[in-house]
């Protein structure tokens, strides 16, 4: 089995694209996780209810299979969020600023460079350093 470090150039490119996709969607993942958590809380609090009395809106409580799917989705999101959070703590301040501006804020390289105070060219070097680190620290998240 090939490790991430031993990946071919094309495989490495695919992994980096996946990492960038996860970084761009990080805020959406956090919102989705919070929403799922609220849904699961509501279901847990109202499990004994099947319907509100006649004439009112029907309350749909998911069956066990649907509930298991919601819980699974919530757990997967939590793993991705926590893995990204842990990985970011290992980056330098400049690397974290790069991630914040480029991926979380979805700014262009030019705008990110201006904000951070580096040239576009220097930011590409920082990007490559960040991706090398994240390829290792995000591990399986890069494969998702």
């Amino acid at each position: 089995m090939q490790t991430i470090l031993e990946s071919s150039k094309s495989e490495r490119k695919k992994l980096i694209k996946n990492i960038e996709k996860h970084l761009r969607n990080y805020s959406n993942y956090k919102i989705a996780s919070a929403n799922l958590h609220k849904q699961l809380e509501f279901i847990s609090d109202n499990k004994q209810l099947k319907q509100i009395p006649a004439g009112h809106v029907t309350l749909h409580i998911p069956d066990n299979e649907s509930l298991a799917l919601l819980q699974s989705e919530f757990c997967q999101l939590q793993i991705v969020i926590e893995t990204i959070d842990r990985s970011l703590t290992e980056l330098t301040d400049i690397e974290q600023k790069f991630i914040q501006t480029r991926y979380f804020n979805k700014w262009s390289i030019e705008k990110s460079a201006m904000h951070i105070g580096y040239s576009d060219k220097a930011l590409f070097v920082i990007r490559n350093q960040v991706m090398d680190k994240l390829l290792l620290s995000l591990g399986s998240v890069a494969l998702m």
Side-chain angles (χ1 to χ4, degrees):
M1 186 172 157
Q2 198 176 34
T3 67
I4 289 176
L5 288 176
E6 300 166 339
S7 299
S8 68
K9 208 172 191 176
S10 66
E11 185 61 26
R12 187 179 188 286
K13 253 184 168 174
K14 284 182 195 172
L15 293 171
I16 287 172
K17 290 286 182 202
N18 269 348
I19 288 171
E20 289 178 319
K21 175 192 77 167
H22 288 301
L23 292 173
R24 282 188 191 97
N25 286 307
Y26 177 77
S27 296
N28 294 329
Y29 293 158
K30 290 184 92 163
I31 291 167
S33 176
N35 290 340
L36 278 170
H37 185 261
K38 280 290 186 195
Q39 288 175 336
L40 290 168
E41 254 182 14
F42 177 80
I43 292 166
S44 172
D45 292 346
N46 295 292
K47 207 159 186 150
Q48 72 282 0
L49 298 176
K50 291 294 179 200
Q51 279 192 353
I52 297 175
H56 293 82
V57 178
T58 301
L59 177 64
H60 174 71
I61 302 296
D63 58 25
N64 287 339
E65 188 177 330
S66 298
L67 182 58
L69 287 172
L70 284 175
Q71 290 169 329
S72 174
E73 187 177 347
F74 175 72
C75 288
Q76 287 176 352
L77 282 169
Q78 283 302 113
I79 289 168
V80 172
I81 292 166
E82 290 170 10
T83 303
I84 290 172
D85 287 344
R86 274 191 303 277
S87 295
L88 294 180
T89 64
E90 295 303 313
L91 300 178
T92 66
D93 288 344
I94 294 299
E95 292 168 337
Q96 287 179 18
K97 284 179 186 174
F98 170 73
I99 294 293
Q100 179 66 48
T101 59
R102 181 73 177 125
Y103 299 107
F104 296 171
N105 295 350
K106 298 177 177 111
W107 290 358
S108 66
I109 285 287
E110 295 79 15
K111 186 173 180 178
S112 298
M114 199 171 3
H115 179 77
I116 296 171
Y118 280 72
S119 70
D120 297 2
K121 202 173 198 176
L123 229 50
F124 280 108
V125 171
I126 290 170
R127 176 198 174 269
N128 290 335
Q129 291 170 342
V130 167
M131 289 304 146
D132 286 343
K133 291 178 181 181
L134 294 180
L135 277 169
L136 294 172
S137 64
L138 289 178
S140 63
V141 171
L143 301 172
M144 296 172 91

